Amino acid sequence: MTRLKFVSYNVRGLNSPSKRGQVMYLLKKCNTDICLLQETHFRQKNIPAMHRSHFPMWFNAGSDSGASKGVSVGISRHISFTMVDKVIDPEGRFLFIKGKICNTMLTTENIYALNRAQIPWSIEVLRKLSQFRDGSLILGGDFNVTLNPLLDTSNGKSTICYRALAKLKQVLSSLHLVDLWRTLHPADRDFTH
């Protein structure tokens, strides 16, 4: 299998056709192979067509109980992907996709965690993922958690107790998952707030 380029964006709503076009343009410009979009605001019964020539295959999880959720995974036309199985959260908070690329099994999860009680919720979703996964695992999304508050927040503090953060880190480690950005930039401080 060749290199794959994954891009993950919290898009804060994609119901506007012009915004969908802008996101598609950015993804194509970045030569994205697999994209993970969070907070699409799609309602499960009314998900707009995301098919574009560059991303002909889309998987979506939306919610009819509130608009500030939704996750989507798009696969580039350059990738020969055969879907094997999927799990779609009815609340639009996560999406598991399992499939083959060049006879190599790949499991991709896209997650948009709750704003409150995110640690127990995330741990439960990761436990479900551990039972579903097969082959290589790519996890993207928005956990609404700062794993390293000293480096990843402007004030160096977290609203979540360090014991809970340690528990989440332990579960991530048990799945052999790492914060890729932090691994590539061990001392950098770059955040939006």
Side-chain angles (χ1 to χ4, degrees), residues 14-28:
L14 274 185
N15 284 309
S16 160
S18 63
K19 190 169 182 183
R20 283 195 303 275
Q22 289 171 344
V23 169
M24 292 302 136
Y25 173 77
L26 282 173
L27 292 170
K28 184 177 179 183

Side-chain angles (χ1 to χ4, degrees), residues 10 36-42 44 60-73 87-96 108-118 121-122 124-126 128 139-144:
N10 182 322
L36 300 100
L37 306 177
Q38 305 85 43
E39 206 176 344
T40 60
H41 296 186
F42 294 158
Q44 190 61 36
N60 300 286
S63 171
D64 292 323
S65 66
S68 65
K69 303 173 190 171
V71 292
S72 295
V73 175
V87 174
I88 298 173
D89 176 39
E91 289 298 311
R93 292 281 181 184
F94 65 85
L95 177 62
F96 303 163
T108 302
E109 181 196 15
N110 193 5
I111 186 171
Y112 179 58
L114 303 168
N115 290 324
R116 293 190 182 111
Q118 53 274 62
W121 181 87
S122 296
E124 181 58 33
V125 170
L126 291 169
K128 289 178 186 177
L139 170 63
D142 185 346
F143 275 89
N144 281 314

Side-chain angles (χ1 to χ4, degrees), residues 6-192:
F6 287 80
V7 172
S8 179
Y9 287 135
N10 182 322
V11 293
R12 295 185 182 152
L14 274 185
N15 284 309
S16 160
S18 63
K19 190 169 182 183
R20 283 195 303 275
Q22 289 171 344
V23 169
M24 292 302 136
Y25 173 77
L26 282 173
L27 292 170
K28 184 177 179 183
K29 187 178 174 182
C30 291
N31 295 316
T32 305
D33 294 311
I34 298 176
C35 68
L36 300 100
L37 306 177
Q38 305 85 43
E39 206 176 344
T40 60
H41 296 186
F42 294 158
R43 295 193 179 271
Q44 190 61 36
K45 294 179 183 173
N46 192 24
I47 294 176
M50 296 281 288
H51 302 286
R52 301 272 200 241
S53 60
H54 192 73
F55 291 96
M57 190 179 304
W58 284 93
F59 303 93
N60 300 286
S63 171
D64 292 323
S65 66
S68 65
K69 303 173 190 171
V71 292
S72 295
V73 175
I75 311 286
S76 165
R77 70 176 181 211
H78 302 292
I79 303 300
S80 177
F81 179 80
T82 305
M83 207 262 303
V84 172
D85 199 4
K86 63 183 172 184
V87 174
I88 298 173
D89 176 39
E91 289 298 311
R93 292 281 181 184
F94 65 85
L95 177 62
F96 303 163
I97 307 292
K98 186 181 345 181
K100 288 187 177 181
I101 298 175
C102 300
N103 294 320
T104 300
M105 189 62 76
L106 174 71
T107 301
T108 302
E109 181 196 15
N110 193 5
I111 186 171
Y112 179 58
L114 303 168
N115 290 324
R116 293 190 182 111
Q118 53 274 62
I119 299 290
W121 181 87
S122 296
I123 288 171
E124 181 58 33
V125 170
L126 291 169
R127 287 194 175 125
K128 289 178 186 177
L129 176 63
S130 70
Q131 296 169 355
F132 176 81
R133 76 178 284 184
D134 192 6
S136 298
L137 175 61
I138 301 293
L139 170 63
D142 185 346
F143 275 89
N144 281 314
V145 168
T146 341
L147 292 175
N148 188 339
L150 292 174
L151 291 175
D152 295 332
T153 63
S154 58
N155 65 3
K157 298 177 183 176
S158 174
T159 58
I160 298 169
C161 76
Y162 283 92
R163 202 171 347 160
L165 285 174
K167 179 73 172 165
L168 178 59
K169 288 179 185 179
Q170 180 183 22
V171 173
L172 290 168
S173 177
S174 73
L175 291 170
H176 305 287
L177 293 169
V178 297
D179 180 344
L180 187 57
W181 192 89
R182 179 54 58 210
T183 300
L184 295 173
H185 305 272
D188 290 357
R189 300 189 80 213
D190 189 13
F191 36 82
T192 56

